[in-house]
Amino acid sequence: MLLKHRLSFAQIFTFTWKVDLMLLLCCTVVFFVDKYWLSAHIAIPVAVSAVLGTAIAFFIGFNNNQAYDRWWEARMIWGALVNDSRSWARNLLHYTQTDGDQEKQTFVRHMIYRHLSFVYALKTNLRKLPDDYYTRYLTKEEIDYVQQHQNIPNALLNLQSADLQQLRQSGVVDGFAFLELNQMLVNHCDQMGKSERIKNTVFPPSYVYFTRLFIWFYVIMNTLMMTESIGAWSILFGWVFGFVFHVTHLNGITLMNPFEYHPLGIPLDSISRTIEINLIELMGEEPVPQPVKPKADGLYIM
């Protein structure tokens, strides 16, 4: 997630250099084609540029609105997970009646640690990047159990549910506390499912494909139209028009998959570490991990 409101020219170029080169090449080729062949056969009407530009603006606007909705929904889901994680730990610490029994206290605190495993396993599952950080809060038997499942976060919720039932049967939590804690597990499952829905639902490729195709068609037609009036300057101005449309479209494309490991994605590393810090501090444990640091001189955080 970007942290700065302004980007330097170098940062913009890093993001758009491939498109810049392709646009300049395209406009240059179109200019010479029109100058040495096409202009002798046909003149491109000025109205074509205005009509195409308006139509493309609607396409890009729709794509970007839908992409941002996906991004913002993902951020709200993980924001809710932060709050529910704090409530899960607080309820386990204060709603359980361990009566000073060290074994019961250890059992309860392990359920809090296991929730940290759930958060990190869910992050790993969404990003599809190898990461076994979640195993540091599990026993050897639990690691062997969850790794037998395709959906490791869901397997961890199974363990949480079984242990919660054990707390109820042993009288460590009463009926009301059991219902409250079970609702927390339901919330965790809902947040996992919503995240997976966004991750696994492909944005309609036809919108992306045709929007990109229309932008290139617009660049070509606009360059042809300007060649007749301003000559070689049409290469520069064609690039400018194409740059505006392409970069606006790229902004939406990068938001369509908010869980990707990308500077514009949801900062899952930072959110997961925030949950970890909060829960360890709630338990009064040491050491407390350090927050995730921004990258690229404070430009973005992952």
Side-chain angles (χ1 to χ4, degrees):
M1 183 177 70
L2 292 178
L3 300 177
K4 293 184 177 180
H5 296 288
R6 295 181 180 179
L7 300 176
S8 65
F9 286 109
Q11 291 164 345
I12 295 174
F13 181 74
T14 301
F15 180 61
T16 65
W17 70 271
K18 292 182 180 180
V19 171
D20 291 335
L21 293 179
M22 293 175 64
L23 284 171
L24 288 173
L25 178 60
C26 175
C27 293
T28 301
V29 171
V30 170
F31 166 74
F32 284 106
V33 168
D34 184 70
K35 181 178 180 180
Y36 293 106
W37 177 70
L38 190 62
S39 60
H41 299 84
I42 189 173
I44 306 299
V46 177
V48 172
S49 176
V51 173
L52 282 177
T54 302
I56 293 170
F58 279 111
F59 268 88
I60 294 176
F62 172 80
N63 288 345
N64 288 6
N65 284 337
Q66 298 304 310
Y68 183 78
D69 285 345
R70 286 164 64 96
W71 187 92
W72 183 242
E73 183 184 2
R75 185 61 187 88
M76 289 194 297
I77 291 169
W78 275 75
L81 182 58
V82 172
N83 295 336
D84 285 341
S85 298
R86 294 164 178 163
S87 297
W88 170 255
R90 187 178 299 109
N91 291 352
L92 279 173
L93 290 173
H94 299 293
Y95 287 0
T96 54
Q97 302 171 8
T98 58
D99 299 325
D101 188 317
Q102 187 64 37
E103 183 178 353
K104 292 180 180 178
Q105 290 178 356
T106 302
F107 188 87
V108 169
R109 297 169 85 85
H110 181 66
M111 292 181 67
I112 298 176
Y113 279 120
R114 190 190 290 134
H115 179 71
L116 294 178
S117 295
F118 165 78
V119 172
Y120 278 102
L122 179 58
K123 183 199 78 168
T124 301
N125 195 38
L126 293 174
R127 282 190 169 167
K128 303 298 183 183
L129 295 176
D131 187 0
D132 60 353
Y133 187 87
Y134 73 93
T135 60
R136 67 182 302 170
Y137 293 119
L138 300 175
T139 65
K140 180 62 168 60
E141 292 75 16
E142 290 172 336
I143 295 174
D144 293 338
Y145 169 77
V146 299
Q147 289 184 346
Q148 295 174 3
H149 296 74
Q150 292 185 359
N151 192 324
I152 292 178
N154 191 56
L156 288 168
L157 289 182
N158 291 341
L159 293 175
Q160 296 284 63
S161 183
D163 281 359
L164 181 60
Q165 178 64 16
Q166 187 173 338
L167 290 179
R168 176 70 182 95
Q169 293 174 347
S170 62
V172 177
V173 296
D174 58 26
F176 292 106
F178 173 82
L179 293 175
E180 183 71 19
L181 290 167
N182 185 66
Q183 183 58 47
M184 291 286 99
L185 290 179
V186 173
N187 292 345
H188 298 158
C189 187
D190 287 344
Q191 289 145 6
M192 176 182 66
K194 291 175 181 178
S195 298
E196 291 171 341
R197 169 175 52 80
I198 295 175
K199 174 67 178 180
N200 298 327
T201 301
V202 178
F203 191 86
S206 57
Y207 285 104
V208 178
Y209 173 78
F210 283 112
T211 301
R212 186 180 294 118
L213 180 65
F214 293 161
I215 291 175
W216 282 110
F217 186 63
Y218 172 76
V219 171
I220 293 172
M221 298 300 293
N222 218 31
T223 305
L224 289 174
M225 180 196 70
M226 292 187 294
T227 298
E228 301 173 4
S229 57
I230 60 177
W233 283 101
S234 62
I235 297 175
L236 176 62
F237 283 95
W239 169 80
V240 170
F241 285 114
F243 177 82
V244 171
F245 279 98
H246 268 296
V247 171
T248 305
H249 182 54
L250 282 174
N251 283 332
I253 295 296
T254 54
L255 296 178
M256 287 181 183
N257 299 306
F259 297 121
E260 294 291 333
Y261 192 75
H262 189 277
L264 296 181
I266 299 299
L268 297 185
D269 290 347
S270 177
I271 296 174
S272 300
R273 181 58 58 83
T274 297
I275 295 174
E276 185 178 13
I277 292 172
N278 291 165
L279 269 56
I280 290 178
E281 287 181 339
L282 277 172
M283 293 186 290
E285 297 288 345
E286 295 287 347
V288 178
Q290 294 297 314
V292 173
K293 295 181 180 180
K295 298 179 181 293
D297 195 25
L299 176 62
Y300 62 90
I301 194 166
M302 302 301 291

